Amino acid sequence: MDYSRRRLLQTTGLAVATAGLAGCNGQSTDDTTAAETDSETEAGDETTTEDAESSVSVDATVAVAAEWNAMRARLYDTVALAAAGRLGTAARVAGDVFARFEQSSGEWGAHEQLEATNERNYETFESNLGGAREAYAAGDAERGSDLAVQAADNLLAAQRGRVDAAVVDALNVLLFGARARDAGLLAAAGEVDAATELANAVYEGFEDAPAHSALESASDELYESFEAAVEGAADAGDAETLAASAQTAAAATVDASYELAPETVAGAGHLALMQAVGFDAEVLAGLGGPGDEFAHAAALSLYRARAADVPRLVAAGEADFAATVASDVFAHFEGARAHEALEEADHDAYEGFEGGLESLTEAAESGDAAAAEEAVATVDENLLAGISALVGGEAATVLEAAFFRARLGDARELVAVGETDRAAAVGESLFARFEENEANLHESVEEESEELYHRFEEEHLAGLVEDATAGDADAAAAHAEGAMDALFEFEAAVGATAEVSAAEAAFFGARGFDAAALARVGASARAAAVVQSTFAFFEAGAGGYHETLEEADHDLYESFEGALGSVRTAAEEGGDAYGAAKTYGQRAVDSMYAVVATAAADAGLGAAASERMSGVFQTFEEARVHEALEGADHDAYEGFEAALSDYSAALEDGSGVDVAAETYATATARAQFAVVGEVGKAPEAGDTEDGGSADAALSGGPNVVEGVPEEADHVVKMRAVAFEPAELTVSVGDTVAFEHAAGDAHSVTASGDELPEGAAYWASGGFESQEAAETGWGEGKGAVQSGQSYVHTFETAGEHPYYCVPHEAAGMTGTIIVEE
């Protein structure tokens, strides 16, 4: 946990160090804030709420500032998640923050108000937020966390520029309450060590933060209560005590906010804290399962399978192709999320793996099969050590079973092409490794089921070796398949659905490369059969992999199936099966991270998340803001309670959570405006069909039309920060309409350098180059707004990547695949 602690302390220090930056552009500095707070609360009892009411401006900007505070809290959620190794979830949260920000429509929405406060600060915020999402998605926890904190400070700067110092003080104190609650969130997810480190970091960061003096000036008793509770969380050692201490700390900040600012201000801030806790509950409901470390380890398992193919290819006279495979594994690893993870988990294994890959490439280039076997042994030994360092225990055993399945698949295909002797050698190797109890597979299978153990080893694995040695291809093939089935049965019995899914992703990826190798040696029919059987297994469920991937990321699911089909097509038609297998392999790796990021059902955290929201309901019933909201606007009050109740039920049921969370957040934001007396200015939020109104200052240009033309063969919807679908396959001559469906104005801008050879450049606005399109956007040209579509007919086969200029940082990219 040393890394987590270092990361948390670094980001806490960054927040303090950059606090001065937030006071630029004419906004208040930390010293001014503290001085104003001291003057308002001097002598403790001399300042009353009535005095504060008369000296602090309370209007719609306070509600906006409270909304920014909820966003600041969510950005710190990503820091906590990254420190706990949950980078996939951190990336998703950052993306969700960006999407909600873009969807916050209307004059008093968080988006419009931030832009109106300071355009440069607004642009920097979007850049930092998008960069944080990209860094987390790329596996860079340090950069992602740094950028997330900087984005939070952009919002702090806006708060200072728009509301009085007392309001900023109250919101800053409440933010520390939200950060304390993050420790409880991690503890509830089983990340007790990470939660402890977070509580320590919050405590140490608080000591140097402006909120420290603000809370101390508000009330000595509340100040001491907060510090004692955070210390208690850091020292707790168990999830229940830690969560209770974190909640006590947050309660102290709520009470302190009423001492620092007028009741309406504190009420809006408290509601924003409830909104933040609501989003935490959604995160908690999605935190179940093995985490990114397991996805990293699954990716390493696929490398094990790919490296094992190299000696076989060398022996088959395909030395050049074998060298390409080895060098491609190296190149993929250099850019993979598992790269840094392996380096940090076990540096020796990392160096040994890379050194082994270099030796493997050299052996393949020289056509030395014996040297290739030695190099593969080095590669495998170090990858196995890395997997153990990343996950270990039963999780590593599940991955070992998937690796054995991939190698048994190799044996099956060797039999299919008549290389029964080599198939027997693969079986003998696996038998020896099983007897050595590599990754505890032998003992685990035997412990799970004596019948399963005997079926796998004595019936099928031994049978494979015996029949392959005897040259009985049909019997050997049946035994290879039987052994694979037995190990899959073991995986499903001992692994959680997310673990089985990610492990099977490694197996599926390996089968794609098997098909490519078969096509390379002229066995195209068998290559197509391998793909067909793999697809059938996926459609049958594959231990929950099919359903889990479809629910986790529907676009990726469709892309995964499409890429697998492309391997078969290439094999059957004499195309580039290996290139198709590489694309498919990347989809398999992507799926590993997708399935572990949304594995709540296996951990049963939906009930814990629902209980968390039930606690919010109880807190609200007893809170000062309850009466304030009911008195301010009864409809907003009832809407808030109804949304809170529905959200809690959705979490418990595990269905409709995303929609319920968004509805709750919208109702909470409306309540924030209500308590400050400005409910009529509450913005609409959410992914609406009309996507907002058009901006007369922007223009579309050629091929930007009203509505969706009837002649369009396909429609891509442009959501707030995403193209839907992100990947679309069309035929040459097909017309695609890119329809504005939500959010601000978008562009559709092709990536010029990556278009197929001979393809004419295309973009909304009719520009002739990517540079011209980006320049044009800066001049207000090429915009696709509400009610409009950009229409383009694709005449050149190949992949056409594109993006939205203003939302690229948020991940708004797509690809049109044009087939003949």
Side-chain angles (χ1 to χ4, degrees):
M1 297 305 298
D2 289 342
Y3 171 76
S4 296
R5 178 173 176 76
R6 180 171 71 254
R7 175 91 305 277
L8 286 164
L9 290 176
Q10 284 175 343
T11 53
T12 299
L14 177 65
V16 174
T18 58
L21 295 177
C24 64
N25 305 317
Q27 297 159 356
S28 305
T29 65
D30 290 333
D31 291 337
T32 301
T33 300
E36 290 175 359
T37 302
D38 288 341
S39 68
E40 290 168 6
T41 58
E42 189 175 329
D45 295 333
E46 292 183 10
T47 300
T48 67
T49 301
E50 291 182 0
D51 294 333
E53 292 281 4
S54 64
S55 61
V56 175
S57 298
V58 180
D59 55 23
T61 56
V62 170
V64 173
E67 187 69 7
W68 287 334
N69 228 47
M71 295 172 66
R72 290 173 66 194
R74 295 194 74 194
L75 288 165
Y76 276 101
D77 287 347
T78 71
V79 175
L81 290 164
R86 304 284 189 155
L87 290 175
T89 306
R92 180 176 64 79
V93 171
D96 287 350
V97 173
F98 209 130
R100 181 165 173 78
F101 177 71
E102 289 297 312
Q103 292 167 2
S104 184
S105 60
E107 179 185 358
W108 290 96
H111 181 284
E112 296 298 324
Q113 286 296 304
L114 184 63
E115 188 172 14
T117 300
N118 185 295
E119 188 169 353
R120 181 179 178 184
N121 188 48
Y122 154 77
E123 291 174 351
T124 306
F125 167 75
E126 288 206 329
S127 175
N128 287 333
L129 179 53
R133 188 203 63 81
E134 290 180 349
Y136 288 139
D140 191 338
E142 182 172 352
R143 177 165 175 76
S145 297
D146 288 350
L147 289 171
V149 171
Q150 290 180 44
D153 283 337
N154 292 130
L155 296 174
L156 172 59
Q159 288 172 328
R160 288 187 174 130
R162 296 300 300 276
V163 295
D164 292 326
V167 179
V168 176
D169 283 344
L171 294 176
N172 273 335
V173 167
L174 286 165
L175 180 65
F176 268 91
R179 294 183 62 191
R181 290 294 299 258
D182 285 346
L185 165 71
L186 294 181
E191 301 279 3
V192 177
D193 289 344
T196 298
E197 298 296 348
L198 175 59
N200 270 311
V202 170
Y203 181 85
E204 294 179 24
F206 176 70
E207 292 300 304
D208 296 321
H212 180 280
S213 58
L215 180 53
E216 189 173 21
S217 68
S219 165
D220 288 340
E221 180 181 351
L222 293 173
Y223 162 76
E224 291 173 1
S225 175
F226 174 79
E227 286 209 327
V230 176
E231 273 191 300
D235 297 336
D238 67 277
E240 187 175 349
T241 304
L242 198 155
S245 295
Q247 191 164 354
T248 298
T253 66
V254 172
D255 290 341
S257 70
Y258 282 93
E259 300 293 328
L260 289 165
E263 183 159 337
T264 51
V265 172
H270 190 191
L271 287 165
L273 176 59
M274 293 182 195
Q275 182 186 153
V277 174
F279 280 118
D280 287 352
E282 182 188 20
V283 169
L284 177 60
L287 273 182
D292 286 350
E293 290 84 357
F294 192 89
H296 297 322
L300 298 184
S301 294
L302 179 54
Y303 291 141
R304 294 179 73 192
R306 291 186 66 185
D309 289 339
V310 173
R312 170 178 78 172
L313 292 167
V314 173
E318 294 285 350
D320 290 343
F321 181 48
T324 297
V325 171
S327 61
D328 282 350
V329 171
F330 199 117
H332 188 279
F333 177 65
E334 288 302 300
R337 296 172 63 174
H339 182 282
E340 183 177 351
L342 176 59
E343 187 174 14
E344 291 187 354
D346 188 331
H347 190 74
D348 290 342
Y350 161 77
E351 291 190 333
F353 169 52
E354 288 206 328
L357 276 179
E358 291 177 355
S359 299
L360 182 61
T361 304
E362 292 171 1
E365 289 173 341
S366 63
D368 189 337
E373 291 283 5
E374 291 180 6
V376 163
T378 300
V379 167
D380 196 75
E381 177 186 356
N382 285 284
L383 285 176
L384 190 59
I387 290 169
S388 179
L390 283 165
V391 291
E394 192 173 86
T397 306
V398 171
L399 290 170
E400 181 75 356
F403 170 70
F404 264 53
R405 277 168 48 74
R407 293 294 286 137
L408 287 163
D410 292 342
R412 171 67 182 86
E413 304 322 319
L414 286 166
V415 168
V417 296
E419 296 186 41
T420 52
D421 288 345
R422 287 191 61 80
V426 172
E428 289 173 348
S429 173
L430 291 177
F431 196 101
R433 295 167 82 158
F434 186 71
E435 284 300 304
E436 292 169 2
N437 197 34
E438 184 174 276
N440 203 40
L441 182 59
H442 183 290
E443 289 188 8
S444 295
V445 173
E446 189 172 15
E447 181 179 341
E448 173 57 31
S449 167
E450 283 282 347
E451 186 277 329
L452 182 63
Y453 162 70
H454 289 297
R455 178 155 42 98
F456 167 69
E457 184 180 42
E458 296 175 5
E459 180 182 352
H460 291 307
L461 188 55
L464 166 63
V465 174
E466 181 179 348
D467 289 330
T469 301
D472 188 341
D474 290 342
H479 281 306
E481 292 172 359
M484 283 193 283
D485 290 345
L487 286 179
F488 175 71
E489 187 177 328
F490 165 75
E491 285 180 35
V494 302
T497 301
E499 290 176 329
V500 174
S501 299
E504 283 301 295
F507 170 75
F508 272 72
R511 293 301 274 163
F513 285 108
D514 287 345
L518 287 165
R520 178 75 182 190
V521 298
S524 296
R526 180 57 198 168
V530 168
V531 174
Q532 180 59 32
S533 64
T534 302
F535 191 89
F537 180 53
F538 184 66
E539 288 299 303
Y545 181 28
H546 181 285
E547 182 179 358
T548 301
L549 178 56
E550 187 174 13
E551 291 182 356
D553 189 328
H554 189 76
D555 289 342
L556 177 58
Y557 156 77
E558 290 189 336
S559 176
F560 173 86
E561 286 199 331
L564 179 56
S566 295
V567 178
R568 178 178 181 177
T569 300
E572 291 177 329
E573 299 178 0
D576 183 8
Y578 179 61
K582 287 199 295 182
T583 299
Y584 168 64
Q586 182 58 55
R587 299 293 186 271
V589 172
D590 291 341
S591 77
M592 298 170 186
Y593 292 93
V595 297
V596 301
T598 55
D602 292 323
L605 292 179
S610 178
E611 184 178 348
R612 194 176 183 88
M613 292 314 297
S614 295
V616 171
F617 198 103
Q618 183 178 351
T619 297
F620 176 68
E621 289 299 304
E622 300 171 357
R624 293 167 67 172
V625 71
H626 179 282
E627 184 177 348
L629 177 57
E630 187 174 17
D633 190 284
H634 192 72
D635 289 343
Y637 161 77
E638 289 193 334
F640 172 76
E641 284 208 330
L644 176 52
S645 179
D646 291 346
Y647 183 32
S648 181
L651 288 165
E652 187 170 7
D653 294 342
S655 61
V657 172
D658 290 347
V659 173
E662 186 62 36
T663 300
Y664 170 69
T666 301
T668 308
R670 183 174 180 81
Q672 291 159 201
F673 278 84
V675 295
V676 299
E678 298 281 10
V679 70
K681 294 180 178 178
E684 296 296 328
D687 196 7
T688 60
E689 286 300 317
D690 61 18
S693 58
D695 185 345
L698 301 176
S699 62
N703 293 335
V704 173
V705 301
E706 295 299 320
V708 176
E710 292 184 3
E711 63 268 22
D713 299 295
H714 309 274
V715 177
V716 174
K717 290 186 177 293
M718 295 188 284
R719 300 295 183 185
V721 287
F723 293 104
E724 187 180 288
E727 185 175 288
L728 176 67
T729 300
V730 305
S731 299
V732 169
D734 281 359
T735 297
V736 179
F738 298 83
E739 178 191 10
H740 187 287
D744 286 347
H746 299 293
S747 80
V748 185
T749 308
S751 301
D753 294 340
E754 300 176 50
L755 292 177
E757 184 177 354
Y761 186 76
W762 55 275
S764 55
F767 301 102
E768 296 183 354
S769 70
Q770 182 176 345
E771 181 180 3
E774 292 184 347
T775 300
W777 176 264
E779 297 171 349
K781 301 174 183 177
V784 185
Q785 303 188 71
S786 177
Q788 298 178 336
S789 297
Y790 164 66
V791 183
H792 181 71
T793 300
F794 290 86
E795 303 289 359
T796 306
E799 293 192 4
H800 294 247
Y802 64 97
Y803 62 100
C804 171
V805 173
H807 302 128
E808 182 185 14
M812 193 167 180
T813 62
T815 304
I816 302 296
I817 301 173
V818 184
E819 297 180 342
E820 294 283 1

Coordinates of all heavy atoms in Angstrom, one line a residue, residues 309-357:
D309 N 3.2 -19.7 -28.9 CA 3.0 -20.0 -30.3 C 4.3 -19.9 -31.1 O 4.4 -20.5 -32.2 CB 2.0 -19.1 -30.9 CG 0.6 -19.3 -30.4 OD1 0.3 -20.4 -29.9 OD2 -0.3 -18.4 -30.6
V310 N 5.3 -19.1 -30.7 CA 6.5 -18.8 -31.5 C 7.3 -20.0 -31.8 O 7.6 -20.3 -33.0 CB 7.3 -17.7 -30.8 CG1 8.6 -17.5 -31.6 CG2 6.5 -16.4 -30.7
P311 N 7.7 -20.9 -30.8 CA 8.5 -22.0 -31.2 C 7.8 -23.0 -32.2 O 8.4 -23.5 -33.1 CB 8.7 -22.8 -29.8 CG 8.6 -21.7 -28.8 CD 7.5 -20.8 -29.4
R312 N 6.5 -23.1 -32.1 CA 5.7 -23.9 -33.0 C 5.8 -23.4 -34.4 O 6.0 -24.2 -35.4 CB 4.3 -24.0 -32.5 CG 3.3 -24.6 -33.5 CD 1.9 -24.6 -33.0 NE 1.2 -23.3 -33.1 CZ -0.1 -23.2 -32.9 NH1 -0.8 -24.2 -32.4 NH2 -0.7 -22.0 -33.0
L313 N 5.7 -22.1 -34.5 CA 5.8 -21.5 -35.9 C 7.2 -21.6 -36.5 O 7.4 -21.8 -37.7 CB 5.4 -20.0 -35.8 CG 4.0 -19.7 -35.5 CD1 3.7 -18.3 -35.1 CD2 3.1 -20.1 -36.7
V314 N 8.2 -21.5 -35.6 CA 9.6 -21.7 -36.1 C 9.8 -23.1 -36.6 O 10.4 -23.3 -37.7 CB 10.6 -21.3 -34.9 CG1 12.0 -21.7 -35.4 CG2 10.6 -19.9 -34.5
A315 N 9.3 -24.1 -35.8 CA 9.5 -25.5 -36.2 C 8.7 -25.8 -37.5 O 9.1 -26.7 -38.2 CB 9.0 -26.4 -35.1
A316 N 7.6 -25.0 -37.7 CA 6.8 -25.2 -39.0 C 7.4 -24.5 -40.2 O 6.8 -24.5 -41.2 CB 5.4 -24.7 -38.7
G317 N 8.6 -23.9 -40.0 CA 9.2 -23.2 -41.1 C 8.8 -21.8 -41.3 O 9.0 -21.2 -42.4
E318 N 8.1 -21.2 -40.3 CA 7.5 -19.9 -40.4 C 8.3 -18.9 -39.5 O 7.8 -18.2 -38.7 CB 6.1 -19.8 -40.0 CG 5.2 -20.6 -41.0 CD 4.9 -19.8 -42.3 OE1 5.3 -18.6 -42.4 OE2 4.4 -20.4 -43.2
A319 N 9.7 -18.9 -39.7 CA 10.5 -18.1 -38.8 C 10.2 -16.6 -38.9 O 10.2 -16.0 -37.9 CB 12.0 -18.4 -39.2
D320 N 10.0 -16.1 -40.1 CA 9.8 -14.7 -40.2 C 8.5 -14.3 -39.5 O 8.4 -13.3 -38.8 CB 9.7 -14.3 -41.7 CG 11.0 -14.3 -42.4 OD1 12.1 -14.4 -41.7 OD2 11.1 -14.4 -43.6
F321 N 7.4 -15.1 -39.7 CA 6.2 -14.8 -39.1 C 6.3 -15.0 -37.6 O 5.7 -14.2 -36.8 CB 5.1 -15.8 -39.6 CG 3.7 -15.6 -39.0 CD1 3.2 -14.3 -39.0 CD2 3.0 -16.7 -38.5 CE1 1.9 -14.2 -38.4 CE2 1.7 -16.5 -38.0 CZ 1.2 -15.2 -37.9
A322 N 7.1 -16.0 -37.1 CA 7.3 -16.2 -35.7 C 8.0 -14.9 -35.1 O 7.6 -14.5 -34.0 CB 8.1 -17.4 -35.4
A323 N 8.9 -14.4 -35.8 CA 9.6 -13.2 -35.3 C 8.7 -12.0 -35.2 O 8.8 -11.2 -34.3 CB 10.8 -12.9 -36.2
T324 N 7.8 -11.9 -36.2 CA 6.8 -10.9 -36.2 C 5.9 -11.0 -35.0 O 5.6 -10.0 -34.3 CB 6.0 -10.9 -37.5 OG1 6.8 -10.7 -38.6 CG2 4.9 -9.9 -37.5
V325 N 5.5 -12.2 -34.7 CA 4.6 -12.4 -33.5 C 5.3 -12.0 -32.3 O 4.7 -11.3 -31.4 CB 4.2 -13.9 -33.5 CG1 3.5 -14.2 -32.1 CG2 3.3 -14.3 -34.6
A326 N 6.6 -12.4 -32.1 CA 7.3 -12.1 -30.9 C 7.5 -10.6 -30.8 O 7.3 -10.0 -29.7 CB 8.7 -12.8 -30.9
S327 N 7.9 -9.9 -31.8 CA 8.1 -8.5 -31.8 C 6.8 -7.7 -31.6 O 6.8 -6.7 -30.9 CB 8.8 -8.0 -33.0 OG 8.0 -8.2 -34.2
D328 N 5.7 -8.3 -32.1 CA 4.4 -7.6 -31.9 C 3.9 -7.7 -30.4 O 3.3 -6.8 -29.9 CB 3.3 -8.3 -32.8 CG 3.4 -7.8 -34.2 OD1 4.2 -6.8 -34.5 OD2 2.7 -8.4 -35.1
V329 N 4.2 -8.8 -29.8 CA 3.9 -9.0 -28.3 C 4.7 -7.9 -27.6 O 4.1 -7.2 -26.7 CB 4.3 -10.4 -27.8 CG1 4.2 -10.4 -26.3 CG2 3.4 -11.4 -28.4
F330 N 6.0 -7.7 -27.9 CA 6.8 -6.7 -27.2 C 6.2 -5.3 -27.5 O 6.0 -4.5 -26.5 CB 8.2 -6.8 -27.8 CG 9.2 -6.1 -26.9 CD1 10.2 -6.8 -26.3 CD2 9.2 -4.7 -26.6 CE1 11.2 -6.3 -25.4 CE2 10.1 -4.1 -25.7 CZ 11.1 -4.9 -25.2
A331 N 5.8 -5.0 -28.7 CA 5.3 -3.7 -29.1 C 4.0 -3.4 -28.3 O 3.7 -2.3 -27.8 CB 5.1 -3.6 -30.6
H332 N 3.1 -4.4 -28.3 CA 1.8 -4.3 -27.6 C 2.1 -4.0 -26.1 O 1.4 -3.2 -25.5 CB 1.0 -5.5 -27.8 CG -0.4 -5.4 -27.3 ND1 -0.8 -5.5 -26.0 CD2 -1.6 -5.0 -28.0 CE1 -2.0 -5.3 -25.8 NE2 -2.6 -5.0 -27.0
F333 N 3.0 -4.8 -25.5 CA 3.2 -4.6 -24.1 C 3.7 -3.2 -23.8 O 3.3 -2.6 -22.7 CB 4.2 -5.7 -23.6 CG 4.6 -5.5 -22.2 CD1 3.7 -5.7 -21.2 CD2 5.9 -5.2 -21.8 CE1 4.0 -5.6 -19.8 CE2 6.3 -5.1 -20.5 CZ 5.3 -5.3 -19.5
E334 N 4.5 -2.6 -24.6 CA 5.1 -1.3 -24.4 C 4.0 -0.3 -24.2 O 4.2 0.7 -23.5 CB 6.1 -0.9 -25.5 CG 7.4 -1.7 -25.4 CD 8.1 -1.5 -24.1 OE1 8.5 -0.4 -23.8 OE2 8.4 -2.5 -23.4
G335 N 2.9 -0.4 -24.9 CA 1.8 0.5 -24.8 C 0.6 0.1 -24.0 O -0.4 0.7 -24.0
A336 N 0.8 -1.1 -23.3 CA -0.4 -1.6 -22.6 C -0.5 -1.1 -21.2 O 0.5 -0.7 -20.6 CB -0.2 -3.2 -22.6
R337 N -1.7 -1.2 -20.7 CA -2.0 -0.8 -19.3 C -1.2 -1.7 -18.3 O -0.9 -1.3 -17.2 CB -3.5 -0.8 -19.0 CG -4.2 0.2 -19.8 CD -5.7 0.1 -19.7 NE -6.2 0.3 -18.3 CZ -7.5 0.4 -18.0 NH1 -8.4 0.2 -18.9 NH2 -7.8 0.6 -16.7
A338 N -1.0 -2.9 -18.7 CA -0.3 -3.9 -17.9 C 1.1 -3.6 -17.7 O 1.8 -4.2 -16.8 CB -0.6 -5.3 -18.4
H339 N 1.7 -2.8 -18.6 CA 3.1 -2.5 -18.6 C 3.6 -1.9 -17.3 O 4.4 -2.5 -16.6 CB 3.5 -1.6 -19.7 CG 4.9 -1.2 -19.9 ND1 5.6 -0.3 -19.1 CD2 5.9 -1.7 -20.7 CE1 6.8 -0.3 -19.4 NE2 7.1 -1.1 -20.4
E340 N 3.0 -0.8 -16.9 CA 3.4 -0.1 -15.7 C 3.0 -1.0 -14.5 O 3.7 -1.0 -13.5 CB 2.8 1.3 -15.6 CG 3.2 2.0 -14.3 CD 2.6 3.4 -14.3 OE1 2.0 3.9 -15.3 OE2 2.8 4.1 -13.3
A341 N 1.9 -1.6 -14.6 CA 1.4 -2.5 -13.4 C 2.4 -3.6 -13.1 O 2.7 -3.8 -12.0 CB 0.0 -3.1 -13.8
L342 N 2.9 -4.2 -14.2 CA 3.9 -5.3 -13.9 C 5.2 -4.7 -13.4 O 5.8 -5.3 -12.5 CB 4.2 -6.1 -15.2 CG 5.2 -7.2 -15.2 CD1 4.9 -8.2 -14.1 CD2 5.4 -7.8 -16.6
E343 N 5.6 -3.6 -14.0 CA 6.9 -3.0 -13.5 C 6.8 -2.6 -12.0 O 7.8 -2.8 -11.3 CB 7.2 -1.7 -14.4 CG 8.5 -1.1 -14.1 CD 8.8 0.0 -15.0 OE1 7.9 0.5 -15.7 OE2 10.0 0.4 -15.1
E344 N 5.7 -2.2 -11.6 CA 5.6 -1.8 -10.2 C 5.3 -3.0 -9.3 O 5.8 -3.0 -8.1 CB 4.4 -0.8 -10.0 CG 4.6 0.6 -10.6 CD 3.6 1.6 -10.3 OE1 2.5 1.1 -9.7 OE2 3.7 2.7 -10.6
A345 N 4.6 -4.0 -9.8 CA 4.3 -5.2 -8.9 C 5.6 -6.0 -8.7 O 5.8 -6.6 -7.6 CB 3.2 -6.0 -9.6
D346 N 6.4 -6.2 -9.8 CA 7.5 -7.1 -9.7 C 8.5 -6.7 -10.7 O 8.5 -7.1 -11.9 CB 7.1 -8.6 -9.9 CG 8.3 -9.5 -9.6 OD1 9.5 -9.1 -9.8 OD2 8.0 -10.7 -9.2
H347 N 9.5 -5.8 -10.4 CA 10.4 -5.2 -11.3 C 11.3 -6.3 -12.0 O 11.6 -6.2 -13.2 CB 11.2 -4.1 -10.7 CG 12.0 -3.3 -11.7 ND1 11.5 -2.4 -12.5 CD2 13.4 -3.4 -12.0 CE1 12.4 -1.9 -13.3 NE2 13.5 -2.4 -13.0
D348 N 11.7 -7.3 -11.2 CA 12.5 -8.3 -11.7 C 11.8 -9.1 -12.8 O 12.3 -9.5 -13.8 CB 13.0 -9.3 -10.6 CG 14.0 -8.6 -9.7 OD1 14.6 -7.6 -10.1 OD2 14.2 -9.1 -8.5
A349 N 10.5 -9.4 -12.5 CA 9.7 -10.1 -13.5 C 9.5 -9.3 -14.7 O 9.5 -9.8 -15.9 CB 8.3 -10.5 -12.9
Y350 N 9.3 -8.0 -14.6 CA 9.1 -7.1 -15.7 C 10.4 -7.1 -16.6 O 10.3 -7.3 -17.8 CB 8.9 -5.7 -15.2 CG 9.1 -4.6 -16.1 CD1 8.3 -4.3 -17.1 CD2 10.3 -3.8 -16.0 CE1 8.5 -3.2 -18.0 CE2 10.5 -2.7 -16.9 CZ 9.6 -2.5 -17.9 OH 9.9 -1.4 -18.7
E351 N 11.6 -7.0 -16.0 CA 12.8 -7.0 -16.8 C 13.0 -8.4 -17.4 O 13.5 -8.5 -18.5 CB 14.0 -6.6 -15.9 CG 13.9 -5.1 -15.5 CD 15.2 -4.7 -14.8 OE1 15.9 -5.5 -14.3 OE2 15.5 -3.5 -14.9
G352 N 12.7 -9.4 -16.6 CA 12.9 -10.8 -17.1 C 12.0 -11.1 -18.3 O 12.4 -11.7 -19.3
F353 N 10.8 -10.6 -18.3 CA 9.8 -10.8 -19.4 C 10.3 -10.0 -20.6 O 10.4 -10.6 -21.7 CB 8.5 -10.2 -18.9 CG 7.5 -10.1 -20.1 CD1 7.2 -11.2 -20.9 CD2 6.8 -8.9 -20.2 CE1 6.3 -11.1 -22.0 CE2 5.8 -8.8 -21.3 CZ 5.6 -9.9 -22.1
E354 N 10.7 -8.8 -20.5 CA 11.2 -8.0 -21.6 C 12.5 -8.7 -22.2 O 12.6 -8.7 -23.4 CB 11.4 -6.6 -21.3 CG 10.1 -5.8 -21.0 CD 10.2 -4.3 -21.3 OE1 11.3 -3.8 -21.1 OE2 9.2 -3.7 -21.7
G355 N 13.4 -9.1 -21.3 CA 14.6 -9.7 -21.8 C 14.3 -11.0 -22.5 O 14.9 -11.3 -23.5
G356 N 13.4 -11.8 -22.0 CA 13.0 -13.0 -22.6 C 12.3 -12.8 -24.0 O 12.6 -13.6 -24.9
L357 N 11.5 -11.7 -24.1 CA 10.9 -11.4 -25.4 C 12.0 -11.0 -26.4 O 11.9 -11.4 -27.6 CB 10.0 -10.2 -25.3 CG 8.5 -10.6 -24.8 CD1 7.7 -9.3 -24.7 CD2 7.9 -11.5 -25.8

